[in-house]
Amino acid sequence: MLVIKDLHAKIEDKEILRGINLEVKPGEVHAIMGPNGAGKSTLSSVLAGNEKFEVSEGSVSFNDKELLELSPEDRAREGLFLSFQYPIEIPGVSMVNFMRTAVNEHRKYRGEDPISASEFLKLMRDKKKLVEIDSNLTNRSVNEGFSGGEKKKNEIFQMAMLEPKLAILDETDSGLDIDALRVVANGVNKLKSPERSTIVITHYQRLLDYIVPDYVHVLYKGRIVKSAGKELALELEEKGYDWIKKEFED
Amino acid sequence: MAEDQNKILDEVTGGEYKYGFYTDIEMDTIPKGLTEDVIRMISAKKNEPEYMLEFRLKAFEKWQKMEMPDWAHLNIPEIDFQDIIYYAAPKKKPQLESMDDVDPELRATFDKLGIPLDEQKILSGVAVDAVIDSVSVKTTFKETLAEKGIIFCSISEAVHEFPDLVKKYLGTVVTDSDNFFAALNSAVFTDGSFVYIPKGVRCPMELSTYFRINAMNTGQFERTLIVADDDSYVSYLEGCTAPQRDENQLHAAIVEIVANERAEVKYSTVQNWYPGDKEGKGGIYNFVTKRAICKGDYSKVSWTQVETGSAITWKYPSCILQGDHSVGEFYSVAVTNNYQQADTGTKMIHLGKNTRSLIVSKGVSAGKSQNSYRGLVKVSKRADNARNFSQCDSLLLGDRCGAHTFPYLEIANNSAKVEHEATTSKIGEDQIFYCNQRGLSTEDAVGLIVNGYVKEVINQLPMEFAVEAQKLLQISLEGSVG
Ligand SMILES: Nc1ncnc2c1ncn2[C@@H]1O[C@H](COP(=O)(O)OP(=O)(O)OP(=O)(O)O)[C@@H](O)[C@H]1O
Ligand SMILES: [Mg+2]
């Protein structure tokens, strides 16, 4: 599904990704952990096509397509979804209008007709239930004035609406209260299927109790320096990153 | 980073003018330049009665003593008024009953514009008075209107057929000495529309006129007069797009509105004159004087405008609130892109008691354009309890454009309540990327954000016009990306 090979990316001549290699197969859940500033969000931004970052080397294939050659919107339409660490507010644009445009763009890309109003409302209703999001939120402008946790929930709501093939969740757990964390994790799990994959970026083992990863990777200074099964997360929780840093620096 | 952002914005805002084509209709023109002889020639070509010629000559005399205003926030190149052709009329002036009789070339043009000057329009209940250049080509639905005593015709026709009304009202709201361009228009205006709604009549349909500039080097001087008599109501729409061309063109229209006792007039415009190319070459100079007088008590005039075109726009639809309890409203969206310059706004002149005015202005600037709001709220001494609320918002796309707000207040009565709010915001690349990530193209993202921002104004437009307006916003800001 996703194959990243020797990916290098920089911003303002500062190299942040320094040779990432990663393969995600259909149905898999990968967790990416790592200290602040390691490049986790940068990796997700680069995969999503944020032009702030310049890719200087490497290749990424997604569903057998050259991901890096696609526009950000086409990456999304191909089924790549990014739940932002810091979701953006878009005043004046209603959630309903925004989601309807998004859903229809995805459908158009697949050669389908636009969704009917009634179908769309039903879809909204179903997905709202799934992530237990307050109806008031979806009647407002995109993320405008949402609390930190509400924004995160809204990301997962949008993910549920768009049913991506690959979802990258960038610290979706941060800012969520304990109940919301469980709800959001349940939402993610309900969307799981043998075709759909997830990359979970997190600092905490807690989320991984709910969304159980097949692999855990440690990103440090722009490289994946360690990969293992879900037990690695537990080990990190216990010991922190120092031992890995030391291992890496040697 | 700023550079990157500009790159994105270039893409977004780099849409070429889609309506850049022009019709090959034979024209009947007179020589360049403006002299008394030219005015006599215009008047003669139009076969005008003596009173009209006098009206023109008087205005011309005043114009010769005037100078072009220079106080707007505009950079206006020198205009050589002797290098302009002041009259052009389509040679084949048809007397038409049905669409089948219309010049196929012209119909094709209308089709390209998506202007339904045909059954669609009629089905949706709109009488159309299409103005190609200066002479009105076709008027429909006259009969239905005539039944109610409503007059809707070209101003040239009105000059002949309704001299009393024309003499009574023409030039009373915008006098020939009002400003440089008003004087010029009064001297040389070629055509436009005339509307009269008799007492107690509610006009059953939206009246609409489409204007086009279509002759090389021809200044356009439209003249519109709308009179709503006591207890009447009318909604009037005016919209235009113009063909692409290389040379600057002058457009100096006048619109006068009179609302008598308890009358209400809604005037909506979608303006899309050719704005010039990406380098700022060509484009229309649009110097318009639009003014309404709420003459009677409890009368109301509401201006709604969506301005997307022109290289230079200089336009302040205004209301003189003379009647007690009269109401003036101004809703405006002004979009500028590339090298466009707009200086637009309104004047609300409170003369009567308990008069109210509302101003909602939304500016959107992109490219290297300059967008200014200029508004005057004036409350005279005897205008007790006057109320005004002004909301002036600016939205910037990129950091090479400018937005400016010039609110002027002249308050001579202590009981007045005047409020002004202003905001400036910016479409960020993060917002666009967020939309992209959800599968929206950059142009759709900008469209969504801009349309959300201008919603309040667009909602004032009649339904079908609102759709057209949104399309124009799309075109002028988004274009075809990539
Ligand atoms: N726009 C930018 N300009 C300059 N440096 C940047 C920019 N964006 C990110 N960086 C730098 O890139 C590095 C990686 O940042 P990134 O956001 O990817 O880290 P992260 O692993 O997601 O960290 P966290 O766990 O704190 O979210 C950091 O040193 C950051 O300062
Ligand atoms: Mg991060």
Side-chain angles (χ1 to χ4, degrees):
Chain A
M1 148 152 313
L2 180 78
V3 183
I4 305 175
K5 280 189 187 145
D6 194 31
L7 183 64
H8 291 250
K10 57 187 181 185
I11 187 162
E12 287 160 8
D13 289 326
K14 183 173 151 201
E15 188 163 56
I16 295 171
L17 301 184
R18 302 191 299 161
I20 302 265
N21 290 289
L22 180 68
E23 179 169 1
V24 178
K25 295 205 176 76
E28 288 179 351
V29 176
H30 290 240
I32 297 181
M33 305 182 79
N36 295 131
K40 302 182 295 297
S41 295
T42 302
L43 175 62
S44 45
S45 288
V46 168
L47 292 178
N50 192 333
E51 279 156 19
K52 264 202 280 203
F53 300 94
E54 186 194 329
V55 176
S56 42
E57 238 182 290
S59 68
V60 180
S61 102
F62 179 56
N63 295 331
D64 302 321
K65 290 205 166 102
E66 275 305 320
L67 187 75
L68 300 177
E69 277 162 25
L70 299 177
S71 66
E73 57 270 31
D74 278 348
R75 297 181 196 198
R77 294 163 186 166
E78 280 288 334
L80 184 129
F81 182 92
L82 171 59
S83 166
F84 286 80
Q85 184 173 2
Y86 304 108
I88 305 296
E89 301 194 4
I90 312 177
V93 177
S94 73
M95 270 304 292
V96 174
N97 212 353
F98 181 68
M99 274 336 290
R100 188 139 105 149
T101 313
V103 167
N104 281 335
E105 285 303 319
H106 282 250
R107 290 172 72 110
K108 193 160 87 192
Y109 192 75
R110 295 193 297 257
E112 297 166 15
D113 286 336
I115 192 166
S116 74
S118 61
E119 246 182 297
F120 178 74
L121 289 177
K122 186 177 174 308
L123 185 68
M124 286 272 285
R125 219 178 307 126
D126 292 351
K127 302 302 185 183
K128 273 195 287 204
K129 218 177 287 164
L130 186 77
V131 299
E132 298 182 27
I133 191 168
D134 195 330
S135 260
N136 289 331
L137 292 183
T138 53
N139 289 333
R140 281 159 56 179
S141 290
V142 180
N143 291 325
E144 192 186 21
F146 286 25
S147 76
E150 286 169 344
K151 283 180 182 164
K152 294 305 178 68
K153 258 192 174 179
N154 191 23
E155 294 293 285
I156 299 306
F157 166 68
Q158 293 177 45
M159 178 184 97
M161 289 291 290
L162 298 172
E163 304 194 325
K165 296 198 185 95
L166 172 68
I168 304 170
L169 311 181
D170 192 355
E171 296 199 26
T172 301
D173 51 342
S174 68
L176 288 178
D177 66 41
I178 297 153
D179 293 333
L181 180 72
R182 199 166 46 233
V183 169
V184 161
N186 277 338
V188 172
N189 286 333
K190 274 187 218 152
L191 290 169
K192 252 174 103 169
S193 83
E195 298 87 51
R196 283 206 266 270
S197 320
T198 314
I199 295 176
V200 187
I201 296 171
T202 183
H203 287 294
Y204 305 106
Q205 157 62 28
R206 198 181 51 200
L207 179 69
L208 304 179
D209 284 341
Y210 297 106
I211 306 174
V212 182
D214 301 300
Y215 300 94
V216 175
H217 310 277
V218 177
L219 191 66
Y220 178 55
K221 288 193 173 166
R223 289 200 189 103
I224 289 179
V225 294
K226 201 168 187 68
S227 297
K230 61 174 191 264
E231 66 287 345
L232 178 58
L234 289 166
E235 198 177 349
L236 290 171
E237 181 104 327
E238 198 179 312
K239 303 204 279 193
Y241 291 111
D242 274 356
W243 61 284
I244 289 184
K245 288 182 187 171
K246 209 172 278 162
E247 221 172 76
F248 175 73
E249 243 108 68
D250 290 344
Chain B
M1 226 178 99
E3 207 172 279
D4 262 355
Q5 180 160 342
N6 287 337
K7 219 167 51 201
I8 294 177
L9 290 169
D10 269 343
E11 253 176 70
V12 185
T13 59
E16 295 279 355
Y17 186 72
K18 281 193 187 160
Y19 294 164
F21 49 82
Y22 101 116
T23 331
D24 202 4
I25 296 177
E26 282 181 68
M27 290 291 175
D28 175 13
T29 57
I30 60 174
K32 277 181 186 174
L34 190 51
T35 59
E36 198 178 308
D37 282 347
V38 165
I39 287 167
R40 286 181 188 280
M41 219 185 299
I42 292 171
S43 193
K45 271 205 184 287
K46 296 174 70 64
N47 205 9
E48 283 178 350
E50 188 62 24
Y51 79 92
M52 247 357 277
L53 177 61
E54 276 166 25
F55 182 95
R56 290 175 184 281
L57 290 175
K58 203 171 84 194
F60 178 62
E61 210 184 299
K62 289 181 182 167
W63 178 74
Q64 282 180 304
K65 295 184 192 118
M66 294 168 113
E67 274 181 39
M68 235 178 95
D70 62 355
W71 44 266
H73 195 88
L74 299 172
N75 186 2
I76 304 171
E78 190 91 36
I79 299 171
D80 182 355
F81 290 93
Q82 296 305 337
D83 195 37
I84 291 169
I85 297 167
Y86 287 89
Y87 181 77
K91 250 187 196 155
K92 301 177 199 156
K93 191 185 175 187
Q95 306 290 321
L96 303 172
E97 287 307 312
S98 89
M99 277 308 286
D100 298 341
D101 301 335
V102 175
D103 188 332
E105 199 65 65
L106 175 55
R107 280 174 64 186
T109 304
F110 279 131
D111 283 348
K112 258 188 263 179
L113 286 168
I115 295 173
L117 181 84
D118 48 18
E119 270 77 327
Q120 293 171 38
K121 203 92 208 189
I122 293 162
L123 282 175
S124 51
V126 179
V128 175
D129 178 274
V131 177
I132 282 278
D133 277 71
S134 319
V135 170
S136 132
V137 175
K138 186 172 156 67
T139 305
T140 53
F141 259 61
K142 258 191 168 165
E143 278 173 31
T144 324
L145 296 173
E147 271 169 33
K148 299 211 166 232
I150 294 169
I151 303 168
F152 178 34
C153 62
S154 73
I155 196 106
S156 332
E157 224 177 313
V159 164
H160 289 281
E161 291 179 28
F162 310 102
D164 294 344
L165 285 171
V166 172
K167 280 185 209 164
K168 184 170 175 191
Y169 291 108
L170 190 74
T172 60
V173 190
V174 179
T175 63
D176 55 10
S177 54
D178 188 273
N179 68 68
F180 182 82
F181 296 108
L184 180 63
N185 176 290
S186 300
V188 301
F189 76 88
T190 37
D191 216 335
S193 298
F194 175 72
V195 177
Y196 176 78
I197 315 289
K199 284 184 182 155
V201 171
R202 211 184 147 80
C203 184
M205 62 190 79
E206 316 270 359
L207 297 181
S208 76
T209 312
Y210 289 97
F211 295 90
R212 279 171 70 74
I213 289 184
N214 205 356
M216 204 73 80
N217 287 323
T218 302
Q220 276 272 300
F221 303 95
E222 304 288 348
R223 183 98 195 189
T224 301
L225 175 60
I226 299 172
V227 179
D229 222 328
D230 299 350
D231 300 290
S232 68
Y233 167 84
V234 65
S235 167
Y236 186 91
L237 320 180
E238 170 216 322
C240 65
T241 61
Q244 182 155 9
R245 66 195 43 245
D246 209 16
E247 236 151 299
N248 292 316
Q249 287 188 298
L250 179 65
H251 182 81
I254 290 183
V255 176
E256 295 179 280
I257 298 177
V258 179
N260 286 336
E261 305 279 321
R262 293 167 301 277
E264 182 179 347
V265 178
K266 264 181 92 100
Y267 189 105
S268 313
T269 317
V270 171
Q271 187 271 113
N272 189 26
W273 299 117
Y274 178 53
D277 65 15
K278 280 183 189 168
E279 274 70 51
K281 210 165 147 223
I284 305 298
Y285 295 176
N286 196 25
F287 302 104
V288 188
T289 308
K290 288 187 170 181
R291 193 173 307 145
I293 182 161
C294 288
K295 221 174 186 171
D297 294 349
Y298 296 96
S299 57
K300 179 177 176 184
V301 169
S302 173
W303 297 101
T304 303
Q305 60 173 23
V306 175
E307 302 281 320
T308 63
S310 297
I312 299 176
T313 303
W314 181 95
K315 181 176 181 182
Y316 317 92
S318 305
C319 297
I320 301 168
L321 303 169
Q322 189 183 70
D324 293 343
H325 303 277
S326 61
V327 177
E329 291 176 344
F330 174 73
Y331 296 92
S332 168
V333 173
V335 177
T336 53
N337 195 359
N338 298 319
Y339 286 87
Q340 277 178 281
Q341 305 176 59
D343 196 294
T344 181
T346 185
K347 293 179 207 165
M348 292 292 176
I349 317 287
H350 294 254
L351 301 178
K353 294 181 174 52
N354 301 307
T355 47
R356 282 181 293 136
S357 62
L358 173 69
I359 298 171
V360 179
S361 162
K362 305 266 180 181
V364 181
S365 341
K368 294 178 180 163
S369 65
Q370 295 294 327
N371 201 329
S372 304
Y373 167 81
R374 188 183 303 277
L376 168 68
V377 177
K378 184 171 177 164
V379 178
S380 77
K381 228 178 191 159
R382 58 168 286 266
D384 296 336
N385 299 313
R387 295 279 175 278
N388 164 266
F389 178 74
S390 305
Q391 175 78 47
C392 302
D393 299 328
S394 309
L395 184 67
L396 302 173
L397 282 79
D399 45 24
R400 291 173 300 177
C401 50
H404 318 272
T405 305
F406 305 99
Y408 303 95
L409 292 178
E410 291 175 24
I411 313 292
N413 184 310
N414 284 335
S415 63
K417 269 207 187 108
V418 174
E419 289 171 79
H420 178 90
E421 276 176 20
T423 68
T424 301
S425 47
K426 203 167 165 171
I427 298 186
E429 57 177 353
D430 288 347
Q431 285 176 322
I432 290 175
F433 179 65
Y434 188 84
C435 294
N436 288 156
Q437 212 303 303
R438 298 306 185 243
L440 275 61
S441 66
T442 301
E443 56 180 57
D444 283 344
V446 171
L448 215 54
I449 295 170
V450 168
N451 277 314
Y453 166 78
V454 302
K455 208 159 27 191
E456 209 181 332
V457 173
I458 300 290
N459 284 347
Q460 293 299 319
L461 292 171
M463 188 60 160
E464 56 164 50
F465 220 39
V467 175
E468 200 171 308
Q470 278 175 337
K471 249 194 279 177
L472 285 186
L473 290 179
Q474 208 98 340
I475 288 162
S476 48
L477 278 176
E478 305 158 23
S480 35
V481 177

